[in-house]
Protein backbone atom coordinates (compact mmCIF):
# COMPACT_ATOMS: atom_id res chain seq x y z
CA UNK A 1 0.00 0.00 0.00
CA UNK A 2 1.35 3.41 -0.96
CA UNK A 3 1.29 6.22 1.56
CA UNK A 4 -0.76 9.19 0.45
CA UNK A 5 0.91 12.60 0.42
CA UNK A 6 0.19 14.94 3.28
CA UNK A 7 -2.08 17.92 2.77
CA UNK A 8 0.04 20.75 1.51
CA UNK A 9 2.67 18.47 -0.03
CA UNK A 10 3.89 19.52 -3.46
CA UNK A 11 6.35 17.77 -5.79
CA UNK A 12 8.80 20.64 -5.29
CA UNK A 13 8.04 20.90 -1.58
CA UNK A 14 5.13 21.65 0.73
CA UNK A 15 2.97 24.72 0.25
CA UNK A 16 2.11 25.91 3.73
CA UNK A 17 0.76 29.31 2.62
CA UNK A 18 -2.98 28.46 2.58
CA UNK A 19 -4.08 31.46 0.44
CA UNK A 20 -1.25 30.75 -2.00
CA UNK A 21 -2.22 27.08 -2.07
CA UNK A 22 -5.84 27.96 -2.83
CA UNK A 23 -4.81 30.28 -5.68
CA UNK A 24 -2.38 27.69 -7.09
CA UNK A 25 -4.96 24.92 -7.05
CA UNK A 26 -7.70 27.04 -8.61
CA UNK A 27 -5.40 28.20 -11.43
CA UNK A 28 -5.75 24.61 -12.63
CA UNK A 29 -9.56 24.73 -12.43
CA UNK A 30 -11.15 25.97 -15.66
CA UNK A 31 -14.15 28.20 -14.95
CA UNK A 32 -16.77 29.90 -17.03
CA UNK A 33 -16.57 33.68 -17.18
CA UNK A 34 -19.46 35.92 -16.20
CA UNK A 35 -19.89 39.62 -15.61
CA UNK A 36 -22.12 40.74 -12.76
CA UNK A 37 -23.66 44.22 -13.02
CA UNK A 38 -25.83 46.39 -10.80
CA UNK A 39 -27.44 49.81 -10.86
CA UNK A 40 -26.39 52.41 -8.30
CA UNK A 41 -25.37 56.06 -8.38
CA UNK A 42 -23.26 54.81 -11.31
CA UNK A 43 -23.49 51.40 -12.96
CA UNK A 44 -21.12 48.89 -11.38
CA UNK A 45 -19.86 45.53 -12.50
CA UNK A 46 -17.09 42.98 -12.22
CA UNK A 47 -15.82 39.80 -13.84
CA UNK A 48 -16.71 36.66 -11.91
CA UNK A 49 -15.52 33.08 -12.27
CA UNK A 50 -17.42 32.01 -9.15
CA UNK A 51 -20.91 31.92 -10.70
CA UNK A 52 -22.79 28.78 -9.69
CA UNK A 53 -26.26 27.42 -10.32
CA UNK A 54 -27.64 26.69 -6.84
CA UNK A 55 -31.23 25.46 -7.32
CA UNK A 56 -33.90 25.10 -9.99
CA UNK A 57 -36.85 25.68 -7.62
CA UNK A 58 -36.63 28.51 -6.92
CA UNK A 59 -34.11 29.39 -9.68
CA UNK A 60 -31.10 30.50 -7.61
CA UNK A 61 -27.53 31.39 -8.52
CA UNK A 62 -24.58 32.42 -6.37
CA UNK A 63 -21.37 34.35 -6.91
CA UNK A 64 -18.61 35.76 -4.75
CA UNK A 65 -17.62 39.42 -4.56
CA UNK A 66 -14.72 40.94 -2.61
CA UNK A 67 -15.77 43.49 -0.01
CA UNK A 68 -12.74 45.59 -0.96
CA UNK A 69 -13.73 45.80 -4.63
CA UNK A 70 -15.02 49.02 -6.17
CA UNK A 71 -18.24 47.20 -7.14
CA UNK A 72 -19.06 45.97 -3.63
CA UNK A 73 -20.79 49.16 -2.34
CA UNK A 74 -23.27 49.02 -5.25
CA UNK A 75 -23.74 45.22 -5.00
CA UNK A 76 -24.20 45.56 -1.23
CA UNK A 77 -27.22 47.83 -1.75
CA UNK A 78 -28.62 46.40 -4.99
CA UNK A 79 -32.02 44.71 -5.01
CA UNK A 80 -31.32 43.22 -8.46
CA UNK A 81 -28.17 42.24 -10.36
CA UNK A 82 -27.41 41.32 -13.95
CA UNK A 83 -25.65 38.03 -14.64
CA UNK A 84 -23.98 37.78 -18.07
CA UNK A 85 -22.37 34.67 -19.56
CA UNK A 86 -19.51 35.78 -21.83
CA UNK A 87 -18.57 34.24 -25.17
CA UNK A 88 -15.05 33.34 -26.25
CA UNK A 89 -15.05 36.49 -28.43
CA UNK A 90 -15.37 38.66 -25.29
CA UNK A 91 -12.00 38.29 -23.57
CA UNK A 92 -11.41 42.07 -23.81
CA UNK A 93 -14.77 42.74 -22.14
CA UNK A 94 -13.86 40.27 -19.38
CA UNK A 95 -10.49 42.00 -18.92
CA UNK A 96 -12.15 45.43 -18.76
CA UNK A 97 -14.54 44.34 -16.01
CA UNK A 98 -11.65 42.65 -14.14
CA UNK A 99 -9.41 45.74 -14.28
CA UNK A 100 -9.28 47.90 -11.17
CA UNK A 101 -10.00 51.57 -11.80
CA UNK A 102 -11.36 51.05 -15.33
CA UNK A 103 -14.46 52.91 -16.55
CA UNK A 104 -16.13 49.59 -17.32
CA UNK A 105 -19.26 51.05 -18.95
CA UNK A 106 -17.47 53.52 -21.25
CA UNK A 107 -17.08 52.71 -24.97
CA UNK A 108 -16.32 50.24 -26.40
CA UNK A 109 -18.58 48.49 -23.83
CA UNK A 110 -22.08 48.23 -25.28
CA UNK A 111 -24.90 48.09 -22.76
CA UNK A 112 -28.49 49.14 -22.10
CA UNK A 113 -30.77 49.49 -19.13
CA UNK A 114 -32.78 46.32 -18.55
CA UNK A 115 -35.52 45.18 -16.17
CA UNK A 116 -35.35 46.72 -12.69
CA UNK A 117 -32.80 49.27 -13.97
CA UNK A 118 -30.05 46.66 -14.21
CA UNK A 119 -27.28 47.40 -16.76
CA UNK A 120 -27.34 44.67 -19.44
CA UNK A 121 -24.32 43.99 -21.63
CA UNK A 122 -24.86 43.53 -25.36
CA UNK A 123 -23.59 40.55 -27.35
CA UNK A 124 -23.33 38.05 -24.49
CA UNK A 125 -24.21 34.36 -24.76
CA UNK A 126 -26.93 34.66 -22.12
CA UNK A 127 -28.09 37.04 -19.42
CA UNK A 128 -30.38 37.05 -16.41
CA UNK A 129 -31.69 39.70 -14.08
CA UNK A 130 -31.76 38.28 -10.57
CA UNK A 131 -33.32 39.49 -7.31
CA UNK A 132 -30.77 39.41 -4.48
CA UNK A 133 -32.06 37.19 -1.66
CA UNK A 134 -28.97 36.95 0.60
CA UNK A 135 -25.43 38.18 1.10
CA UNK A 136 -23.46 35.66 3.17
CA UNK A 137 -20.15 36.70 4.81
CA UNK A 138 -17.25 34.53 3.62
CA UNK A 139 -13.85 35.86 4.71
CA UNK A 140 -13.00 39.02 2.76
CA UNK A 141 -15.87 38.27 0.34
CA UNK A 142 -19.62 37.94 0.36
CA UNK A 143 -21.43 35.08 -1.37
CA UNK A 144 -24.48 36.58 -3.02
CA UNK A 145 -27.54 34.40 -3.58
CA UNK A 146 -29.96 35.69 -6.19
CA UNK A 147 -33.18 34.46 -7.82
CA UNK A 148 -33.58 34.69 -11.60
CA UNK A 149 -36.57 36.86 -12.60
CA UNK A 150 -35.88 37.62 -16.30
CA UNK A 151 -33.35 36.67 -18.94
CA UNK A 152 -32.39 35.63 -22.44
CA UNK A 153 -30.37 32.44 -23.13
CA UNK A 154 -30.26 32.81 -26.94
CA UNK A 155 -26.91 34.46 -27.70
CA UNK A 156 -24.66 32.84 -30.30
CA UNK A 157 -21.21 31.41 -29.75
CA UNK A 158 -19.10 29.36 -27.40
CA UNK A 159 -18.31 30.19 -23.76
CA UNK A 160 -15.27 32.06 -22.52
CA UNK A 161 -13.20 30.18 -19.93
CA UNK A 162 -10.63 31.27 -17.36
CA UNK A 163 -7.69 28.92 -16.77
CA UNK A 164 -4.08 29.35 -15.61
CA UNK A 165 -4.59 33.11 -15.23
CA UNK A 166 -5.78 33.61 -18.82
CA UNK A 167 -9.02 33.84 -20.76
CA UNK A 168 -9.44 30.93 -23.20
CA UNK A 169 -11.98 29.36 -25.53
CA UNK A 170 -13.05 25.73 -25.64
CA UNK A 171 -10.93 23.35 -27.67
CA UNK A 172 -12.45 20.47 -29.64
Amino acid sequence: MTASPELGAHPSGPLSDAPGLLRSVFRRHAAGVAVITAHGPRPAGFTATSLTSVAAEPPLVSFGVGTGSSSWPVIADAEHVGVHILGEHQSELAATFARSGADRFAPPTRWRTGPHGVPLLEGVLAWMVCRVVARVPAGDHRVVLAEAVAGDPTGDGRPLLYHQGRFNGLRD
Side-chain angles (χ1 to χ4, degrees):
M1 187 152 135
T2 308
S4 59
E6 293 181 29
L7 182 63
H10 186 268
S12 61
L15 289 176
S16 59
D17 169 37
L21 173 62
L22 183 73
R23 283 190 290 275
S24 293
V25 168
F26 272 86
R27 279 188 195 104
R28 296 180 173 273
H29 175 70
V33 180
V35 168
I36 309 298
T37 60
H39 173 71
R42 296 182 54 189
F46 64 97
T47 300
T49 56
S50 60
L51 180 66
T52 304
S53 171
V54 175
E57 287 295 327
L60 295 174
V61 299
S62 72
F63 58 87
V65 56
T67 56
S69 75
S70 61
S71 298
W72 170 242
V74 175
I75 301 293
D77 290 335
E79 291 183 25
H80 293 85
V81 295
V83 175
H84 308 81
I85 307 300
L86 300 190
E88 63 186 356
H89 63 286
Q90 295 178 303
S91 59
E92 286 301 316
L93 183 64
T96 296
F97 276 82
R99 193 173 306 118
S100 180
D103 185 354
R104 298 168 179 153
F105 291 89
T109 301
R110 295 179 305 124
W111 65 282
R112 63 183 171 84
T113 302
H116 303 282
V118 172
L120 294 180
L121 302 175
E122 299 288 334
V124 297
L125 296 187
W127 61 265
M128 294 184 295
V129 170
C130 300
R131 181 180 61 84
V132 175
V133 297
R135 294 171 185 87
V136 180
D140 61 354
H141 280 62
R142 294 296 182 270
V143 175
V144 177
L145 292 167
E147 181 178 0
V149 297
D152 182 356
T154 62
D156 289 328
R158 294 161 55 110
L160 182 64
L161 301 177
Y162 188 73
H163 181 249
Q164 294 284 23
R166 296 185 346 211
F167 296 113
N168 299 281
L170 285 175
R171 306 284 185 263
D172 287 329

